[in-house]
């Protein structure tokens, strides 16, 4: 198994893992990512964390099949409870979950002293990207890299955050779109927000027809529609 055997989104996550990292892969999905990284000598050690017994057993089998039982430590635990500070983890990957769930995993990890703050965070939320960015910024992280890819007709974003840099002053608009993605405006990014614009315009129509007081929500949706139109117009120049 190597990086080419991974899904496109996991291949992209793999690119952001530093050379010789001590990796914690949380919600490890058969330990595919740590196994591929270990086989190409990119990481020196990995924890593969799973909260459910079935995936935990699958991850153990995958590590054993590749002769990596001594280098990939598969642990049955909830989120970052799989990690101890003396593991000296330098990178954490959390892929394929909602952004709010990833945020909550990180928050609980912080509260339970499982995060040193020195780890590079490589995060791939399926939804809820803004809420995740807001947490990262509030906790003093800098969003150093972002990527957007399409796989099986779904669009995925990756967010990479580090804490050892001077933190920029992000705007609400940057946290909505992603500060790096907003600068790059890749074709997949444009496609995503064209689709999102159509959905939000329908939401706005429904809100205007509501018999409840949704004034604040209408104001919020109108602002976001304006942002999207500005970005799409700018990208078309």
């Amino acid at each position: 198994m190597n990086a080419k055997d991974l899904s496109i989104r996991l291949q992209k996550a793999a690119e952001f893992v530093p050379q010789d990292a001590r990796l914690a892969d949380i919600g490890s999905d058969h330990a595919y990512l740590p196994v591929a990284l270990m086989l190409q000598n990119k990481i020196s050690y990995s924890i593969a964390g799973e909260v459910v017994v079935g995936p935990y057993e699958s991850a153990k089998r995958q590590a054993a099949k590749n002769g990596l039982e001594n280098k990939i430590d598969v642990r049955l635990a909830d989120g970052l409870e799989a990690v101890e500070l003396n593991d000296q983890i330098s990178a954490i990957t959390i892929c394929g979950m909602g952004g709010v769930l990833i945020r909550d995993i990180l928050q609980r990890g912080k509260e339970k002293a499982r995060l040193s703050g020195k780890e590079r965070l490589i995060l791939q939320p399926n939804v809820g990207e803004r809420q995740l960015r807001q947490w990262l910024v509030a906790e003093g992280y800098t969003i150093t890299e972002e990527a957007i890819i399409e796989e099986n007709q779904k669009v995925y974003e990756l967010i990479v955050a580090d804490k050892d840099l001077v933190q920029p002053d992000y705007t609400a608009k940057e946290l909505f779109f992603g500060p790096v993605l907003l600068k790059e405006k890749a074709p997949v990014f444009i496609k995503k927000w064209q689709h999102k614009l159509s959905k939000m315009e329908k939401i706005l129509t429904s809100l205007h027809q509501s018999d409840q007081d949704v004034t604040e929500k209408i104001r919020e949706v109108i602002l976001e529609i304006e942002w999207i139109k500005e970005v799409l117009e700018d990208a078309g120049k």
Side-chain angles (χ1 to χ4, degrees):
M1 183 181 190
N2 57 43
K4 290 180 181 176
D5 296 321
L6 297 173
S7 64
I8 296 170
R9 64 187 179 83
L10 287 183
Q11 284 181 41
K12 183 54 72 173
E15 290 177 20
F16 295 122
V17 176
Q19 183 64 41
D20 300 321
R22 291 177 65 85
L23 176 70
D25 187 38
I26 304 302
S28 196
D29 185 24
H30 298 81
Y32 289 142
L33 181 59
V35 165
L37 290 170
M38 194 66 75
L39 290 176
Q40 57 181 312
N41 296 314
K42 189 166 186 186
I43 57 175
S44 60
Y45 167 80
S46 180
I47 293 165
E50 283 290 0
V51 70
V52 179
V53 173
Y56 162 77
E57 295 290 354
S58 295
K60 287 194 79 166
R61 285 195 297 272
Q62 185 71 18
K65 186 171 80 172
N66 288 277
L68 296 170
E69 303 99 316
N70 296 330
K71 292 192 172 184
I72 298 176
D73 189 354
V74 183
R75 298 181 183 175
L76 185 64
D78 186 5
L80 285 169
E81 288 183 41
V83 177
E84 302 285 348
L85 288 183
N86 61 14
D87 292 318
Q88 297 182 306
I89 292 301
S90 59
I92 295 173
T93 45
I94 310 178
C95 301
M97 304 180 198
V100 171
L101 177 55
I102 295 174
R103 177 199 70 189
D104 292 348
I105 287 171
L106 292 169
Q107 178 63 29
R108 288 199 305 272
K110 177 199 165 192
E111 289 168 358
K112 295 186 177 184
R114 307 298 172 124
L115 278 175
S116 70
K118 296 175 183 176
E119 308 91 348
R120 163 169 279 202
L121 304 181
I122 301 147
L123 313 170
Q124 186 268 296
N126 292 340
V127 292
E129 299 90 352
R130 172 167 48 175
Q131 291 94 323
L132 180 54
R133 290 189 189 100
Q134 286 171 334
W135 184 90
L136 291 168
V137 170
E139 293 298 320
Y141 286 91
T142 297
I143 297 168
T144 47
E145 301 270 9
E146 290 182 305
I148 185 166
I149 57 107
E150 186 172 15
E151 182 172 26
N152 299 326
Q153 298 181 315
K154 288 186 179 178
V155 173
Y156 300 99
E157 293 185 12
L158 283 103
I159 302 166
V160 181
D162 295 279
K163 219 174 189 178
D164 56 352
L165 302 169
V166 176
Q167 189 185 28
D169 187 14
Y170 296 105
T171 65
K173 187 175 178 181
E174 285 176 318
L175 297 180
F176 182 67
F177 291 103
V180 179
L181 298 179
L182 187 57
K183 285 179 186 170
E184 293 176 349
K185 297 186 182 71
V188 178
F189 174 86
I190 299 304
K191 182 178 177 180
K192 169 182 175 168
W193 289 106
Q194 286 171 335
H195 179 66
K196 190 83 170 173
L197 176 61
S198 175
K199 285 177 71 174
M200 292 188 74
E201 285 174 334
K202 288 175 184 171
I203 289 169
L204 184 59
T205 299
S206 297
L207 287 170
H208 280 306
Q209 293 167 352
S210 173
D211 54 6
Q212 297 180 18
D213 183 8
V214 289
T215 308
E216 191 55 43
K217 183 65 178 173
I218 286 173
R219 192 177 295 125
E220 180 187 322
V221 171
I222 287 173
L223 175 62
E224 290 172 3
I225 286 173
E226 286 175 359
W227 283 348
I228 296 169
K229 285 181 174 177
E230 284 170 13
V231 166
L232 293 176
E233 188 178 325
D234 186 54
K237 289 178 182 175

